[in-house]
Amino acid sequence: MALDPSNLPDEVLTFLGEYHLATLTTLRDDLSPHVVAVGFSYDADAQVARVITWAGSQKAVNARRMQKRGPRAAVAQVDGGRWLSLEGPVRLVTDPDGVRAGVDGYAARYRQPKERDDRVVIEIAGERILGRGCRLQQGSVPCCNRQLASRFQGSSASQRCAAGCGSIGVSSADFSSRGSR
């Protein structure tokens, strides 16, 4: 379920601000995935996910190398049926203002991190965001998938999203009877 990074629904932005850990996926030198648990913050105005770390960490080493070569990184969080994956070009931020933005975002979402002289920030431009950020009623299809929901708008099984976002959801029975075209 692709989401428009420039126009994320309120329930997605709320989900991105709640206290949840995530996974960060970068690529090792041999191009195998390096997946680690992280805390991250999301800057909706800049459309950037930020992970704070230290300069010598494997994720920072990978991000620095990936920035030069062009591969994309991903950060993903899950909470029951809600999940989001943010993908895009990665860069390693070392300048004090950029690091401060990462530390401030982390502090707002989790807690104030310990001071580190070697602090860096991994930034992922959220060019592609997949998932659903709303809590669903039992047996409903995600409201965040507005394109799918629009196919069912006249259906007797249509219902409002349980998150109260005003979107139309559909029952799983209606969805399965029509198939995923």
Side-chain angles (χ1 to χ4, degrees), residues 71-95:
R72 299 161 63 86
V75 65
Q77 74 178 25
V78 176
D79 176 44
R82 298 184 304 162
W83 63 276
L84 290 171
S85 174
L86 296 88
E87 307 168 20
V90 63
R91 76 181 190 109
L92 190 67
V93 177
T94 58
D95 68 275

Side-chain angles (χ1 to χ4, degrees), residues 9-71:
D10 289 342
E11 67 273 8
V12 170
L13 293 172
T14 298
F15 185 38
L16 285 167
E18 293 172 0
Y19 187 101
H20 296 286
L21 294 179
T23 59
L24 170 69
T25 303
T26 57
L27 299 177
R28 294 183 181 97
D29 197 31
D30 67 359
L31 300 181
S32 63
H34 178 252
V35 183
V36 293
V38 296
F40 79 100
S41 60
Y42 183 72
D43 181 334
D45 293 331
Q47 298 176 19
V48 169
R50 294 185 178 107
V51 175
I52 61 172
T53 189
W54 67 96
S57 70
Q58 186 62 53
K59 56 187 163 280
V61 169
N62 292 346
R64 180 178 288 113
R65 185 181 51 254
M66 291 171 66
Q67 178 178 335
K68 293 176 183 173
R69 293 184 183 169

